[in-house]
Amino acid sequence: MDARQTRSLAVFWYWLRCFWTDPDATPELANYYRAQQIDSLSRQLPLASSATVLIVILCSTFAHGLINHNVLITWSMSLLIIAAGDVIAWYLFVKRKVKNTGSKGALFVLAVMLGAAALLYAQMTTLLLGVLDTQGKIILVAIIAAFITTGAWQFASLPAAALVWVLFLTLGVSVSIHITYVGEYLFISALLVIYWLYLSCVVMVTSKRFVSGLMAETAIEHQRQVVGLLLKDFEENASDWLWEIDHQGCLKHVSLRMQDVLGKPVQQLSGSHFLSLLTECTPAENNAELTELATNFQKNEPFTLDNIPIEINGNIKWWSLTAQPLISSNGDLSGWRGVSTNVTDALLRENEMMLLANIDSLTGLANRHLFSKTLHESFLDNTQLNNTDIVNKVTLITLDLDNFKIVNDTLGHLAGDELLKEMANRFQEITPKDVLLSRLGGDEFAWLFKHALTPLQATQFGQKVHALLAEPWLHQEHAFDLGVSIGVANAPMDGRSPVSLQRASDMALYAAKASGKNKLCFYDPKLDEYAMLRLALLNDFRQSFANSDFVVLYQPQIRYSDNSLIGFEALVRWHHPERGVVSPADFIHLIEENGMIVQLGEWVLRQACRDAMSWPSPLQIAVNVSPVQIERANLLTTVLKSLNASGLPASRLELELTESSLMCDGDSTIALLNNLREQGVRIALDDFGTGYSSLSYLQRFPFDKLKVDRSFVMAASEHTQSINNVDAESILFAILQLANALNLQTTAEGVETIEVSSLLQSLGFTNAQGFFYGRPMTAEHAKDFINQWPDIQNKEN
């Protein structure tokens, strides 16, 4: 056979096996199915055995004298032996439940026994047909047909035995009649063959129904076992437990898990009133939950009740109860079945999450979320009252640590965190009990007073805050003087909503920082105007930068030793189309805050290098560099690109940095400055003495020059020899001594008169810059200035 025929035969065989077994069953399951089939047939064997004995008696009586005596005796004894075998098989398979009940050998024995009985019945039928009259023959055929049908129906649960019974009895009679009587009973023989085919199909269909029933029972039993295992595991290991009470509320079913949870034996719990049992374990202040539980039981409806406090061995646990009423067939309540869950851990986690959602993890203070929630609760719902109405007058005080970034940049973020925790502890010391102290983020804190403070009270509170910070913060071997900027706003005067009040407080805080830090400022409506002005100025800057409304001016610098011109400082000016010339003091800090100083700084550097290239060598150009450029931009690449584009030698470029620039990442800044100096660029420390002056800066950072701030020069230029004047000269002299010791050049800024110039020269300054030598000028005017300077002209001549 080819492969196609083989597959067809395999499919047919699979289909045929489905009538007496499950073809996909495992060997163990197939053996179980056979055992059930054999058991079903075996239970019919006593009846079959009784019928066999009755038939033997009847046939022996009616056939006596008509059939050979020896044949009759042999036939009778054979059937009686088979009947005895049927009883033995019934006893072994049904009563004794012997092993291997479902073996193929047992099936074979039963089939042989039924087949032998069928052949004996066929033989007797053939013999009687030859000796009975016509009426007797008709009765015999009817009896044998009914006998065949009864056997097929009786043994159909085991198709092998039933098919053997039908085959041997029908075909046995048919063949025997045909052989014995030739064609005399041909019609009966043909009918028996058709009867065999029909009954075989009936046996197969009935058998398949029986097998399908076995498969369904097996699946149900498997599910029952799985459910039983899951239920057992649930009761033994899960955090939940089952319970059942009758219509009177007494416990009927108590799981082992419930016994462990309550700490009482099953015998003691069974029959106990459920609510009374819970009442014994519930603190008196929580009886409301039990009252609600009792009410739910009275409604006869499913319910779930959460967070019931139960005290066991002195410990409070929290339960959740879910219950379903049990309704009898007549519609009456017969009890309740439910599940209890220990939700203590989940409730604790939920409370912990709520705590984390409202508490700042670093300081333990209220966080921004709780602050915003409390602030909103201080205002009435605008849907109930007019927008101008609030529940209480409140005061909001916001605070920001001055120069907190220095701690992070110099000592690291861990030290910064320690400082924040120290500040939180100090602030808590002066915080009233009814006032919410929050950390809003970073180094910003806030106090929310649910009653309005007078200006005097707010000022006094601010003084307490400043007094707290009078003591320096010590970290390892470092001591930091601390300062804070404070903003105060009151509702409803400064804000009629949570958002507007917080905005007013933030604006007051910003004003405090802008006024010199470590200050307290109250909100003023003019701050709104100033804020809008700043915003408008910032927007105008973007447009003006795109329209090239900026120009670079140059202020000359001279050397005292030979009164020669050494170069210029590049100063940027904004020619606003409507406002006119805008001072750098009005916009530089704005664009630094927004990072746009990077673009402007790059443009100034390129333009200054390009203009300086048109000047005679060795005139230098000094360009200011913002701290933002050092922190956010790749300054080394920018400088090299500007020098390469203009062709200006690096030795003619000087970069001026303020002390605030050095507060960025110190090591990175040192590496940057060293790389610039290796390229030939000179580095100057600008406005020396006005920032966070420290000798450590001069030791760590590579400088070529110190530029002394104009404030010291102006103080020393007073016409009267006041104490301040003498002090200023002393400071200038000290700076010069320090610069000489470090081999640094010095440049004095703000020289406006010949008297000041003479004083500075007599003190020993190297260079000078100011209106006395020249005001800031355009690049074209700078060329003319160079040509008119006496020393330059002498060199050219």
Side-chain angles (χ1 to χ4, degrees):
M1 291 188 296
D2 57 16
R4 184 176 181 181
Q5 291 175 328
T6 303
R7 285 195 301 271
S8 299
L9 185 60
V11 171
F12 173 75
W13 177 242
Y14 180 88
W15 171 81
L16 191 61
R17 290 177 61 201
C18 290
F19 284 94
W20 65 76
T21 187
D22 178 10
D24 300 320
T26 62
E28 293 79 7
L29 192 56
N31 187 76
Y32 169 76
Y33 288 155
R34 279 195 301 272
Q36 293 301 108
Q37 290 173 309
I38 290 173
D39 180 79
S40 177
L41 185 143
S42 299
R43 294 180 183 277
Q44 310 292 328
L45 290 179
L47 181 62
S49 178
S50 300
T52 299
V53 173
L54 179 62
I55 290 173
V56 167
I57 295 174
L58 292 176
C59 287
S60 298
T61 302
F62 288 107
H64 182 68
L66 300 176
I67 299 176
N68 184 279
H69 182 71
N70 293 330
V71 172
L72 184 60
I73 294 297
T74 302
W75 178 83
S76 299
M77 293 302 298
S78 298
L79 278 178
L80 291 175
I81 291 172
I82 293 175
D86 290 342
V87 174
I88 294 173
W90 168 80
Y91 178 76
L92 293 176
F93 293 147
V94 178
K95 289 294 185 180
R96 292 289 304 274
K97 300 289 185 181
V98 295
K99 295 182 179 179
N100 298 324
T101 303
S103 65
K104 294 180 180 180
L107 186 149
F108 177 77
V109 170
L110 290 176
V112 168
M113 290 171 59
L114 292 177
L119 289 176
L120 289 173
Y121 287 134
Q123 179 187 14
M124 180 56 63
T125 301
T126 302
L127 293 175
L128 290 176
L129 278 175
V131 297
L132 295 175
D133 56 15
T134 300
Q135 185 178 1
K137 291 177 181 179
I138 293 173
I139 295 173
L140 178 63
V141 170
I143 292 174
I144 198 62
F147 201 53
I148 295 172
T149 303
T150 302
W153 174 78
Q154 208 173 7
F155 308 137
S157 59
L158 190 63
L163 290 175
V164 168
W165 170 267
V166 174
L167 175 66
F168 283 11
L169 198 51
T170 56
L171 295 187
V173 173
S174 178
V175 172
S176 296
I177 291 176
H178 184 71
I179 293 174
T180 305
Y181 304 105
V182 191
E184 183 178 353
Y185 299 105
L186 182 60
F187 181 71
I188 294 177
S189 298
L191 285 178
L192 286 173
V193 172
I194 296 174
Y195 199 40
W196 165 70
L197 291 174
Y198 171 74
L199 288 179
S200 296
C201 292
V202 170
V203 167
M204 296 295 285
V205 172
T206 305
S207 174
K208 186 172 183 178
R209 290 181 178 177
F210 184 81
V211 171
S212 297
L214 289 177
M215 293 170 62
E217 289 178 2
T218 303
I220 293 173
E221 177 62 19
H222 177 72
Q223 292 179 356
R224 188 190 65 79
Q225 291 176 358
V226 170
V227 171
L229 289 174
L230 291 176
L231 184 60
K232 182 180 179 182
D233 181 73
F234 175 83
E235 291 194 349
E236 292 179 355
N237 303 312
S239 61
D240 303 346
W241 59 93
L242 301 176
W243 51 268
E244 185 175 339
I245 60 177
D246 57 23
H247 68 283
Q248 294 180 343
C250 297
L251 283 169
K252 294 173 58 179
H253 170 76
V254 179
S255 64
L256 295 177
R257 177 64 179 165
M258 188 175 184
Q259 168 189 268
D260 295 338
V261 169
L262 292 176
K264 296 180 180 181
V266 174
Q267 296 79 2
Q268 183 178 348
L269 293 176
S270 297
S272 300
H273 194 272
F274 189 49
L275 279 177
S276 299
L277 187 64
L278 295 182
T279 303
E280 295 175 3
C281 302
T282 303
E285 63 271 16
N286 299 112
N287 283 335
E289 285 80 359
L290 293 183
T291 302
E292 183 179 357
L293 179 61
T295 302
N296 285 323
F297 277 134
Q298 293 174 359
K299 293 180 180 178
N300 295 345
E301 296 177 356
F303 67 88
T304 297
L305 190 60
D306 295 323
N307 303 335
I308 301 176
I310 302 295
E311 184 175 352
I312 300 175
N313 298 327
N315 297 320
I316 296 293
K317 302 294 183 180
W318 300 88
W319 289 5
S320 172
L321 295 182
T322 299
Q324 179 80 25
L326 303 177
I327 307 300
S328 62
S329 57
N330 58 6
D332 296 331
L333 178 71
S334 61
W336 290 81
R337 182 180 294 125
V339 177
S340 297
T341 305
N342 186 350
V343 296
T344 305
D345 292 340
L347 191 61
L348 292 177
R349 285 195 299 270
E350 181 181 350
N351 292 336
E352 183 179 358
M353 293 298 294
M354 289 294 295
L355 183 65
L356 292 176
N358 293 306
I359 301 300
D360 176 55
S361 59
L362 178 64
T363 63
L365 302 179
N367 60 11
R368 180 179 290 273
H369 176 266
L370 180 57
F371 166 78
S372 299
K373 179 182 177 182
T374 307
L375 181 61
H376 278 75
E377 289 174 352
S378 300
F379 289 76
L380 280 179
D381 187 353
N382 290 334
T383 61
Q384 298 177 0
L385 296 177
N386 296 328
N387 292 336
T388 58
D389 294 328
I390 63 171
V391 175
N392 295 310
K393 295 180 179 180
V394 298
T395 295
L396 177 60
I397 298 179
T398 53
L399 172 151
D400 192 81
L401 297 179
D402 295 335
N403 309 317
F404 174 72
K405 189 174 184 297
I406 300 176
V407 177
N408 274 340
D409 292 341
T410 56
L411 299 182
H413 290 280
L414 291 179
D417 290 345
E418 291 298 323
L419 173 58
L420 291 175
K421 289 190 284 187
E422 172 67 20
M423 292 301 99
N425 292 334
R426 294 190 187 185
F427 294 155
Q428 283 180 310
E429 295 177 4
I430 62 170
T431 302
K433 293 183 179 180
D434 58 342
V435 175
L436 178 68
L437 170 61
S438 308
R439 180 189 172 213
L440 302 184
D443 60 332
E444 186 177 359
F445 296 81
W447 283 274
L448 179 61
F449 291 79
K450 296 184 179 180
H451 57 278
L453 299 181
T454 64
L456 178 59
Q457 290 173 328
T459 302
Q460 291 174 342
F461 185 81
Q463 291 172 348
K464 290 183 180 179
V465 175
H466 284 126
L468 280 176
L469 275 68
E471 179 184 353
W473 177 63
L474 301 178
H475 181 76
Q476 297 176 356
E477 72 277 7
H478 302 281
F480 284 86
D481 291 325
L482 303 173
V484 291
S485 298
I486 303 174
V488 182
N490 292 288
M493 180 176 63
D494 301 330
R496 300 183 179 278
S497 69
V499 175
S500 61
L501 180 63
Q502 194 168 0
R503 177 177 176 273
S505 179
D506 288 341
M507 293 179 67
L509 174 62
Y510 182 85
K513 296 179 73 69
S515 63
K517 300 183 179 180
N518 204 33
K519 301 287 182 64
L520 181 146
C521 285
F522 290 89
Y523 172 76
D524 190 316
K526 292 182 179 179
L527 294 176
D528 278 324
E529 299 176 8
Y530 179 65
M532 296 304 296
L533 179 63
R534 292 175 64 247
L535 181 59
L537 200 62
L538 198 59
N539 291 332
D540 290 348
F541 173 84
R542 295 187 179 93
Q543 187 64 37
S544 292
F545 189 75
N547 295 338
S548 302
D549 292 336
F550 291 86
V551 63
V552 180
L553 302 181
Y554 302 94
Q555 186 172 32
Q557 298 175 334
I558 61 97
R559 182 168 53 234
Y560 276 126
S561 60
D562 55 2
N563 198 36
S564 62
L565 181 67
I566 60 173
F568 295 83
E569 180 183 1
L571 303 171
V572 66
R573 295 293 184 267
W574 179 7
H575 289 180
H576 194 282
E578 298 176 359
R579 304 174 189 269
V581 178
V582 181
S583 171
D586 294 332
F587 70 87
I588 289 296
H589 65 284
L590 288 179
I591 62 176
E592 280 185 330
E593 292 176 359
N594 290 271
M596 290 185 290
I597 189 67
V598 174
Q599 294 175 303
L600 181 63
E602 291 180 358
W603 176 80
V604 170
L605 182 62
R606 289 195 304 268
Q607 187 64 40
C609 291
R610 188 181 303 115
D611 291 340
M613 190 58 192
S614 64
W615 305 336
S617 179
L619 291 181
Q620 299 176 347
I621 181 66
V623 180
N624 290 285
V625 175
S626 166
V628 180
Q629 290 178 268
I630 295 177
E631 184 177 2
R632 302 186 187 180
N634 191 342
L635 185 60
L636 178 61
T637 301
T638 301
V639 170
L640 295 178
K641 285 183 178 180
S642 298
L643 293 174
N644 292 334
S646 63
L648 183 72
S651 59
R652 295 178 59 187
L653 176 63
E654 181 177 275
L655 298 180
E656 296 185 2
L657 287 72
T658 60
E659 293 178 39
S660 58
S661 302
L662 309 179
M663 295 177 190
C664 303
D665 189 344
D667 294 336
S668 298
T669 304
I670 292 174
L672 170 64
L673 299 184
N674 283 328
N675 289 334
L676 289 169
R677 294 189 75 199
E678 289 174 1
Q679 299 296 325
V681 177
R682 296 168 60 82
I683 307 298
L685 180 58
D686 195 14
D687 298 334
F688 182 75
T690 61
Y692 313 98
S693 301
S694 172
L695 293 179
S696 63
Y697 288 151
L698 300 179
Q699 291 176 323
R700 296 177 61 202
F701 293 90
F703 297 115
D704 299 291
K705 180 186 297 184
L706 292 183
K707 295 190 70 176
V708 180
D709 187 70
R710 62 185 292 117
S711 61
F712 296 104
V713 175
M714 297 299 293
S717 67
E718 297 293 336
H719 296 293
T720 59
Q721 290 296 317
S722 64
I723 295 177
N724 291 337
N725 176 274
V726 174
D727 291 341
E729 288 187 19
S730 300
I731 292 174
L732 291 175
F733 184 75
I735 293 175
L736 284 169
Q737 295 297 319
L738 177 62
N740 292 334
L742 296 174
N743 197 27
L744 300 176
Q745 295 184 21
T746 54
T747 297
E749 296 181 297
V751 181
E752 297 184 358
T753 64
I754 189 171
E755 291 83 6
V756 174
S757 177
S758 300
L759 173 63
L760 296 174
Q761 187 173 3
S762 64
L763 287 174
F765 273 86
T766 311
N767 309 314
Q769 174 183 341
F771 289 170
F772 177 69
Y773 305 105
R775 292 179 176 274
M777 60 192 74
T778 64
E780 294 298 325
H781 290 163
K783 291 180 181 180
D784 296 337
F785 184 87
I786 293 172
N787 294 329
Q788 295 171 7
W789 191 260
D791 292 342
I792 297 294
Q793 291 176 340
N794 292 335
K795 288 182 180 180
E796 290 179 350
N797 293 332

